């Protein structure tokens, strides 16, 4: 997940109405190396919008990036 402010919210316990407006769920196209949570990254992918529940995890999102990849500038 990407958001401008750190937050502690359980995606499995909350509906999409509880999410801040600027949060984006990112589905990576392939596994990538972890970077620290305070590292600035650039992300590219296919943008999807509208309420959607991931059938595998039950995660509810309003905004998603699919087939995404990231890099540090």
């Amino acid at each position: 997940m990407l958001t401008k402010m750190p937050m502690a919210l359980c995606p499995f316990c909350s509906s999409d109405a509880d999410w801040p407006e600027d949060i984006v769920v990112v589905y990576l196209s392939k596994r990538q190396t972890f970077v620290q949570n305070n590292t600035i990254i650039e992300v590219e992918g296919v943008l999807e919008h509208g309420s959607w529940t991931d059938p595998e995890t039950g995660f509810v999102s309003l905004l998603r990036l699919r087939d995404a990849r990231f890099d540090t500038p």
Side-chain angles (χ1 to χ4, degrees):
M1 292 187 291
L2 297 175
T3 185
K4 65 181 173 183
M5 295 297 294
M7 54 185 299
L9 192 66
C10 174
F12 303 102
C13 305
S14 303
S15 73
D16 56 357
D18 295 328
W19 291 109
E21 292 180 6
D22 70 339
I23 199 163
V24 178
V25 180
V26 179
Y27 292 93
L28 296 174
S29 60
K30 64 179 183 178
R31 181 172 280 210
Q32 289 190 250
T33 303
F34 172 78
V35 295
Q36 292 296 323
N37 62 356
N38 60 348
T39 302
I40 294 174
I41 60 173
E42 293 178 355
V43 183
E44 292 184 17
V46 177
L47 183 64
E48 294 181 350
H49 63 89
S51 184
W52 182 74
T53 303
D54 186 319
E56 291 184 32
T57 64
F59 190 92
V60 178
S61 63
L62 289 174
L63 199 57
R64 296 160 300 286
L65 273 180
R66 293 224 183 255
D67 297 322
R69 60 204 162 282
F70 69 87
D71 202 356
T72 54

